[in-house]
Amino acid sequence: MAEMQYFEGEKLAFMKNDSHFRKRLSIARMLLYCVFITSEAVRSASFSMTPKNDDNEVALRSPLSQLSRRQILASPFAIGGAIAYGKSLSDVAKKISRGDLEYPPAHEKRVESTIANAMVAAVPSFLSEKNTNRPFRVLEIGIGDNCRVSRRGLYDEAFEELSKRGVSNIALTGLDIVVPKSNVMAQAENRLNKNSSGKQMKVNFDVLEGSIESKSTFSNGWFDCVVCALTLCSVDNQVAALEEVKRVLRPNGGTFGFVEHVAVNIEEPYRILNLQQQVFDPLQQVVAHNCHLHRYTGDNILKVFSIQKEEDYALSSRLSYERFLVDDMWPVS
Ligand SMILES: C[S@@+](CC[C@H](N)C(=O)[O-])C[C@H]1O[C@@H](n2cnc3c(N)ncnc32)[C@H](O)[C@@H]1O
């Protein structure tokens, strides 16, 4: 599950749209569910003991004899699920080691359109400033050591829209605790400028090493737009990170766009997904840059940006808030 949202600085209003909220179980989820069934069966069998004689001695019974018929029937599926899960883990590990991890198109589309929406929404107040000679400033937090968003061309839509609105000079700053290698940065910069070259757009790209959880050297309100993809799930302290985002964002008309893993809400009908998120959360943290699957990111954003209730953000169509499932995200969306 991921969540898309962007805010207009201090003008805090956004529109909720659940139209893309789909209820579909992917094959991977069903397989994972089978793993749960088996692990539950084995767990209950392993710890089951029964009285053996009058002295109340106990003996372990064979785990298999403790399985219910349903559990035995589920076992082949569970073993298949475990194998499939292991294979998917090793595939991802291989891709990560080759540096070419690709996410599902549905996710990438979300990232591209979220970034475009957020940047476009910040343009009017940028253009109304007296000093329009300065570049339109964008901060991407948690840019990643392979600069995925820029290298995959996920700024294309934003640049195209900005160009139509007369913005031709952009300063894109990446911030991460792990900086990309210089050849990766060069590829990212080439990709960013390749997109913009036909549109007389100039993109200055730079990456700084640092944490969004601590106060950066940027002055208050420096950026017109802050964006991130799958970063708030990885920071240690979300509230500290969001406070810094809010500080560096231009108070009048600055925007924040993000696409993040979020925890299933209690009122949502995704109990299996909720269980998966909680079970796989520790593993995900180890294999995927401290990524937490089960965080109430939306709530933290509402808190930091002081949005109290739904009516507060049902006021404007310029700002949007959306929750959606991406079926093919690994291991759970
Ligand atoms: C799962 S990766 C996502 C990378 C990239 N945004 C993408 O979509 O491919 C999370 C990134 O957040 C970075 N990160 C974690 N904590 C951070 C922090 N406090 N400040 C800045 N970046 C951070 C990690 O180093 C990592 O590059």
Side-chain angles (χ1 to χ4, degrees):
M1 177 174 294
E3 184 172 12
M4 176 187 81
Q5 188 160 344
Y6 67 94
F7 289 98
E8 187 185 358
E10 301 292 327
K11 258 170 94 187
L12 299 169
F14 60 90
M15 182 177 72
K16 189 165 184 178
N17 175 0
D18 280 340
S19 61
H20 296 279
F21 208 113
R22 290 168 297 136
K23 186 183 180 184
R24 271 179 31 202
L25 275 182
S26 64
I27 293 173
R29 279 198 199 112
M30 284 196 286
L31 292 173
L32 289 172
Y33 184 51
C34 294
V35 178
F36 289 131
I37 293 175
T38 301
S39 63
E40 196 49 40
V42 170
R43 199 162 61 90
S44 58
S46 310
F47 292 100
S48 174
M49 293 189 287
T50 84
K52 187 185 174 192
N53 54 33
D54 292 345
D55 300 330
N56 272 345
E57 283 179 41
V58 291
L60 283 172
R61 287 209 332 217
S62 149
L64 272 180
S65 70
Q66 298 290 299
L67 294 178
S68 72
R69 221 174 134 201
R70 195 171 146 227
Q71 288 165 334
I72 289 170
L73 285 175
S75 300
F77 293 102
I79 291 163
I83 291 167
Y85 182 65
K87 182 166 181 332
S88 109
L89 261 182
S90 85
D91 286 351
V92 169
K94 271 188 224 149
K95 280 186 175 178
I96 289 174
S97 66
R98 286 202 306 265
D100 63 352
L101 179 60
E102 279 184 26
Y103 291 94
H107 162 80
E108 292 203 332
K109 236 176 130 204
R110 295 276 174 183
V111 175
E112 186 169 12
S113 63
T114 298
I115 289 175
N117 288 343
M119 283 170 63
V120 164
V123 167
S125 53
F126 164 74
L127 290 178
S128 69
E129 266 187 17
K130 287 189 189 114
N131 176 18
T132 45
N133 286 331
R134 74 163 177 87
F136 182 89
R137 300 186 195 113
V138 181
L139 174 69
E140 183 184 334
I141 58 172
I143 192 162
D145 56 7
N146 65 356
C147 297
R148 180 191 54 118
V149 175
S150 8
R151 284 171 72 221
R152 294 284 303 155
L154 305 184
Y155 281 99
D156 286 2
E157 187 181 330
F159 291 169
E160 197 172 325
E161 292 302 321
L162 259 58
S163 149
K164 283 185 204 159
R165 287 162 176 79
V167 179
S168 56
N169 186 6
I170 294 176
L172 172 61
T173 306
L175 178 73
D176 204 300
I177 49 178
V178 183
V179 286
K181 293 201 174 99
S182 53
N183 64 323
V184 174
M185 278 179 61
Q187 284 168 14
E189 188 162 22
N190 281 343
R191 182 65 184 79
L192 290 163
N193 279 293
K194 184 176 157 205
N195 167 78
S196 54
S197 58
K199 306 179 183 77
Q200 285 94 40
M201 173 108 55
K202 186 173 150 229
V203 185
N204 278 314
F205 178 59
D206 197 13
V207 178
L208 301 178
E209 184 174 359
S211 169
I212 188 65
E213 291 162 69
S214 30
K215 192 168 175 189
S216 59
T217 50
F218 303 115
S219 41
N220 292 355
W222 182 251
F223 290 100
D224 299 292
C225 184
V226 178
V227 296
C228 65
L230 309 180
T231 296
L232 294 173
C233 54
S234 293
V235 300
D236 286 327
N237 183 337
Q238 274 196 339
V239 171
L242 288 162
E243 291 286 4
E244 180 60 6
V245 167
K246 192 177 173 193
R247 186 187 72 77
V248 298
L249 202 53
R250 191 151 51 80
N252 300 311
T255 60
F256 174 39
F258 69 88
V259 176
E260 293 288 339
H261 291 294
V262 295
V264 170
N265 277 341
I266 197 103
E267 72 271 11
E268 289 169 348
Y270 304 111
R271 287 175 52 206
I272 294 173
L273 178 57
N274 189 22
L275 185 63
Q276 282 173 220
Q277 286 186 334
Q278 295 187 57
V279 169
F280 287 110
D281 196 70
L283 176 65
Q284 178 86 352
Q285 288 170 41
V286 175
V287 300
H289 297 278
N290 196 36
C291 168
H292 294 68
L293 295 168
H294 199 262
R295 274 184 167 174
Y296 294 99
T297 307
D299 291 351
N300 279 333
I301 291 175
L302 297 182
K303 192 165 100 190
V304 170
F305 283 81
S306 313
I307 298 174
Q308 309 295 336
K309 40 191 193 318
E310 292 218 354
E311 300 90 80
D312 290 346
Y313 53 74
L315 299 170
S316 164
S317 59
R318 289 188 61 202
L319 298 168
S320 71
Y321 173 93
E322 190 174 11
R323 298 175 63 87
F324 54 91
L325 294 180
V326 178
D327 281 342
D328 305 326
M329 288 298 269
W330 173 89
V332 285
S333 51

